């Protein structure tokens, strides 16, 4: 049995290697000129009948010029950025032996061979934030990486320690129970079991850091080093907070400890706290908005509501926000569809484009490399068959680091 | 009671609000004439008309054309405007929504009629109007062997009678296993249902013949003309198997469990055959062929069924796509995720198809048609799939599916291009009656802007303008300023509190 398994593994490795080689051969060329009826740069006004020149994986010119093969499309935008990618972030991507695992990075548990990276590319996502699953209160460090290219961390990493990820609400406590005298002990018996408990652990983490409490333990000291970077503003704190009360708690935490940069992730009901959002200067990542506004939480059977104009509400308040697709496979719910639906809710096209490109790039500090079409930035482009985000348009091509990942010249549906 | 109390009340309140507006609107144009004016009319019967006008009288379209060429009756109610786009009301080829419960526990239940389970205040029918759907074919759910008989309704009205367009239309069959069954037992039950019908009919005829032989002899002795006394039935029709001598049995004498099935075999009833996966298609076609209702069959398919598109094309059956537009699956060997755009395959193979609103993520027909066009489907094919093709499937090709003289006055008025994500259905007209007005749609406003108001007002510097009345009265202004200051102080205190004990 074992030998069969071993053989299977070898076979899989061979197949994967072959596929990777094929992917790399898909296009060795990285000199292109993309001509489009509309170039939406996400950095200023769109350019009509413009072109983007690409050389050595970077954008060499915007507007005119350029060598290499010419790709003709209806529209081009920057590669999309999704801060909510959910690739292989199951139980294995977060250390659950402790509620706080701030110093551990999700980079060490990412499966770069997952088929879901391809799905991200098909959805137009070229840069993504991967974070630990939200089973811990403070789950660890998230990384920003490219969704394609050679399957090594070195090749794909855009930013190592991009955010510290935490979670408020019921998910970190779900599945936990009170210690009992007779029951066999497992680590699920000593974690918070309520929203209050989760919040307490969160506050204790920062409080202990400020006091230097427990720093003689090596692991705690490592965690506190990360916490100090968060408190200084070197590292944004990404908090998953869905319900209104969790949004409030996250904002109160920010204000209590003076945490400079906080991103509310998956903030379904952030729209209900306009005053707090503006006062606390948090950034928001919205979840995919379903047609009936209902967001179910499978873990705890909670149900939240998000209106179609949630993005517009945030834009009117000048709260920085990003839209997200959460690696959805269903057509009609992907990140590009979200940018369309946000416009149905009243958001302007420009703001919708920014919310899937330059805004998320700024939130995680990678705006110098990606997020807009500007000379010197990475050549990550999405090529469209019509006006971006309209249902009648489709992503026909994707360039990543100047490599053609999806070829607009191939006739596919 | 199925509903929890508060939600039931809320629902009742909503629907009564909707009905209130409906009644007001309805009375304006109900038996009179209605004129619809639009910057563009997508007729689905020839080219679009710029600056068009539609005149509806007694429920039907009496004129459609350029505004400059079509006279406006002086006594007509006018709806629409230059910025709007008129589109034929969408036709839902098949749905199992809008019922109290869509499935029956009995395996074979053709004697049931879904008129008894249609819920006129179901959210589904409200949503139909929001999407511009004006004709709906409601059939039992797919968790059955042979389901009850369905019906065609208009999504407006407080009773099923008001809603009815065609009573007892269509019957649901499923090749996908009912819960608790395997594909083998499902097929066995399907075949058995028709074998059972056949032996029932044969027994009836045999018994009748015996009795008639006896009665004949009696009548002979008594000198009566038996043939004139006896009401005769019809010989069995249809194109497949026949039971000889069925004319001996008056149709009214048939058991109601079997009569609807005989209707099927004789080709008198439309069939909606559910297929959950590609292998079901061959099974469904076999049952339909063997029992002579292939010509009346429409396949209701899930997305995986595209693999059997050749079979569908060969059989010449139309299909309704019940699942998502794109099948996403993983290759078991390579582990890669693959996508197949199902309408594209159907078009390539020459299968006539309709789209339905069953997929929860892409329900609105206009949105689905737009996504399909985005994926490369011909514009005409995509639009036909939500108008003309479903109309033909329902046998209502002469009544709905396009804006032509003589057809029913079913119109969806969009705020802009019907295929754009930013367009809304502003008005819906069914048979000349305005039945939906977005400006009066409370629930749509809630979905758009939120059910509850934000907890706290946004700070004034963001919203900008001060309220007008503040400028009118100096004193009021002063008072407000004082209040503001007090509020700020309170807030400061609150902040302090927050700092110590969050929440």
């Amino acid at each position: 049995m074992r030998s069969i398994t071993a053989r299977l593994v070898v076979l899989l490795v061979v197949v994967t290697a072959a596929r990777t080689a094929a992917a790399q051969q898909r296009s060795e060329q990285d000199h292109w000129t993309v001509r489009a009826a509309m170039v939406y740069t996400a950095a200023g006004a769109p350019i009509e009948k413009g072109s983007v020149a690409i050389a050595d994986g970077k954008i060499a010119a915007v507007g005119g010029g350029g060598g290499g093969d010419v790709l003709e499309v209806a529209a081009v935008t920057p590669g999309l950025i999704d801060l909510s990618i959910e690739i292989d972030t199951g139980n294995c991507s977060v250390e659950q032996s402790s509620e706080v695992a701030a110093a551990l990075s999700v980079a060490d548990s990412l499966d770069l061979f997952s088929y879901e990276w391809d799905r991200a590319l098909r959805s137009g996502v070229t840069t993504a934030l991967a974070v630990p699953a939200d089973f811990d209160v403070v789950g660890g460090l998230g990384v920003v990486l490219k969704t394609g290219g050679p399957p090594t961390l070195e090749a794909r990493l855009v930013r190592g320690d991009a955010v510290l990820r935490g979670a408020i609400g019921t998910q970190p406590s779900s599945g936990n129970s009170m210690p009992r005298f007779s029951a066999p002990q497992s680590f699920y018996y000593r974690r918070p079991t309520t929203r209050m408990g989760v919040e307490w652990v969160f506050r204790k983490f920062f409080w202990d850091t400020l006091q230097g409490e427990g720093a003689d333990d090596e692991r705690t000291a490592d965690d506190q080093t990360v916490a100090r970077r968060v408190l200084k503003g070197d590292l944004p704190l990404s908090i998953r907070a869905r319900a209104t009360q969790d949004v409030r708690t996250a904002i109160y935490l920010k204000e209590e400890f003076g945490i400079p940069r906080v991103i509310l992730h998956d903030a379904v009901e952030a729209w209900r706290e306009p005053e707090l959002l503006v006062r606390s200067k948090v950034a928001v990542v919205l979840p995919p908005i379903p047609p009936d506004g209902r967001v179910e939480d499978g873990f705890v059977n909670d149900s939240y509501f998000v209106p179609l104009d949630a993005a517009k509400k945030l834009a009117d308040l000048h709260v920085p926000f990003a839209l997200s697709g959460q690696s959805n496979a269903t057509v009609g719910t992907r990140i590009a569809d979200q940018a369309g639906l946000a416009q149905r809710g009243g958001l302007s096209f420009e703001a919708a484009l920014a919310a899937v490109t330059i805004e998320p790039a700024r939130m995680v500090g990678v705006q110098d490399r990606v997020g807009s079409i500007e000379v010197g930035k990475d050549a990550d482009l999405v090529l469209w068959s019509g006006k971006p985000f309209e249902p009648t348009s489709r992503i026909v091509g994707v360039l990543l680091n100047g490599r053609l990942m999806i070829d607009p010249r191939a006739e596919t549906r | 009671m199925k509903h929890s109390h508060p939600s039931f009340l809320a629902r009742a309140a909503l629907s009564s609000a909707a009905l209130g507006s409906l009644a007001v609107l309805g009375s304006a144009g109900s038996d009179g004439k209605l004129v619809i004016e639009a910057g563009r009319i997508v007729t689905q019967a020839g080219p679009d008309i710029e600056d068009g006008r539609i005149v509806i009288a007694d429920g039907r379209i009496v004129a459609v054309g350029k505004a400059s060429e079509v006279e406006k009756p002086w006594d007509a109610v006018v709806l629409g405007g230059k910025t709007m786009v008129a589109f034929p009301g969408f036709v839902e080829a098949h749905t199992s929504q809008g019922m109290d419960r869509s499935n029956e526990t009995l395996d074979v239940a053709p004697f049931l009629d879904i008129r008894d389970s249609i819920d006129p205040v179901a959210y589904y029918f409200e949503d139909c109007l929001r999407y511009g759907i004006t004709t709906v074919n409601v059939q039992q759910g797919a968790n059955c062997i042979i389901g009850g008989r369905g019906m065609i309704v208009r999504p407006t009205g407080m009773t099923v009678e008001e809603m009815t367009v065609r009573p007892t239309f269509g019957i649901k069959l499923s090749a996908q296993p009912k819960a608790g069954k395997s594909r083998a037992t499902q097929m066995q039950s399907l075949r058995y249902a028709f074998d059972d019908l056949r032996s029932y009919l044969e027994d009836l005829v045999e018994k009748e013949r015996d009795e008639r032989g006896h009665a004949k002899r009696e009548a002979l002795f008594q000198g009566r003309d038996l043939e004139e006394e006896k009401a005769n039935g019809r010989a069995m029709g249809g194109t497949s198997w026949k039971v000889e001598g069925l004319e001996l049995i008056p149709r009214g004498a048939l058991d109601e469990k079997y009569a609807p099935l005989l209707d099927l075999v004789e080709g008198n009833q439309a069939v909606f055959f559910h297929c959950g996966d590609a292998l079901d298609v061959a099974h469904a076609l076999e049952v339909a062929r063997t029992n002579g209702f292939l010509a009346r069959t429409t396949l209701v398919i899930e997305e995986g069924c595209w693999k059997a598109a050749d079979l569908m094309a060969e059989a010449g059956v139309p299909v309704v796509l019940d699942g998502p537009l794109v099948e996403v699956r993983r290759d078991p060997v390579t582990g890669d995720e693959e996508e197949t755009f199902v309408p594209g395959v159907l078009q390539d193979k020459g299968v006539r198809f309709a789209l339905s609103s069953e997929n929860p993520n892409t329900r609105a027909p206009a949105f689905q048609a737009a996504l399909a066009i985005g994926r490369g489907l011909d514009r005409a094919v995509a639009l036909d799939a939500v108008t003309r093709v479903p109309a033909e499937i329902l046998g209502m090709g002469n009544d709905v599916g396009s804006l032509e003289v003589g057809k029913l006055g079913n119109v969806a008025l969009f705020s802009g291009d019907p295929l754009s994500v930013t367009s809304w259905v502003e008005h819906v007209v069914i048979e000349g009656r305005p039945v939906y007005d977005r400006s009066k749609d409370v629930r749509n406003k809630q979905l758009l802007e939120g059910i509850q108001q934000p907890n706290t007002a946004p700070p004034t510097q963001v919203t900008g303008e001060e309220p007008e009345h503040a400028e009118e009265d100096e004193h009021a202004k002063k008072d407000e300023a004082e209040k503001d200051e007090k509020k700020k102080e309170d807030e400061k205190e609150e902040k302090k509190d927050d700092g110590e004990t969050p929440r």
Side-chain angles (χ1 to χ4, degrees), chain A residues 20 23-24 26 87 110-114 116-118 121 126-128 143-159 369 378 400-401 405:
Chain A
T20 310
Q24 280 171 356
R26 200 152 28 169
I87 292 177
L110 280 175
D111 175 10
L112 296 175
F113 297 92
S114 170
E116 287 179 80
W117 297 107
D118 235 28
L121 275 176
T126 51
T127 305
V143 294
V144 177
L145 65 175
K146 292 291 176 79
T147 55
T152 61
L153 209 52
E154 294 71 40
R156 293 200 182 175
L157 204 62
V158 181
R159 193 181 174 102
R369 267 190 68 182
D378 288 3
L400 190 144
N401 289 341
M405 310 306 286

Side-chain angles (χ1 to χ4, degrees), chain B residues 365-490:
Chain B
F367 186 49
Q368 297 208 46
L371 283 170
I373 291 167
R375 280 267 164 172
L377 198 69
D378 291 348
R379 188 188 155 92
V381 175
L383 293 184
D384 282 355
V386 288
T387 54
R388 298 179 71 97
V389 175
E392 282 160 23
I393 287 174
L394 303 190
M396 292 185 69
N398 292 327
D399 290 325
V400 295
S402 63
L403 298 176
E404 289 174 89
V405 171
K407 288 201 173 183
L408 292 176
N410 291 359
V411 187
L413 263 175
F414 282 84
S415 61
D417 180 0
L419 299 176
S420 172
V421 75
T422 49
S423 296
W424 293 87
V425 172
E426 296 291 347
H427 295 278
V428 177
V429 173
I430 296 183
E431 289 156 46
R433 246 171 13 112
V435 292
Y436 175 79
D437 179 349
R438 186 167 81 99
S439 66
K440 295 192 173 75
D441 183 354
V442 178
R443 193 163 120 86
N444 190 67
K445 200 171 152 63
Q446 290 172 339
L447 286 170
L448 177 60
E449 295 172 7
I451 289 170
Q452 295 128 317
Q453 288 309 300
N455 291 319
T456 43
T460 40
Q461 71 264 24
V462 176
T463 50
E465 288 166 34
E466 292 243 322
E468 271 179 34
H469 63 83
E471 283 168 27
E472 286 167 13
D473 194 332
E474 284 276 327
H475 291 287
K477 206 173 172 183
K478 213 174 173 184
D479 285 352
E480 281 212 354
E482 275 174 17
K483 265 186 208 164
D484 274 359
E485 238 174 66
K486 206 179 167 223
K487 205 174 153 195
K488 269 177 203 163
E489 275 175 22
D490 288 350

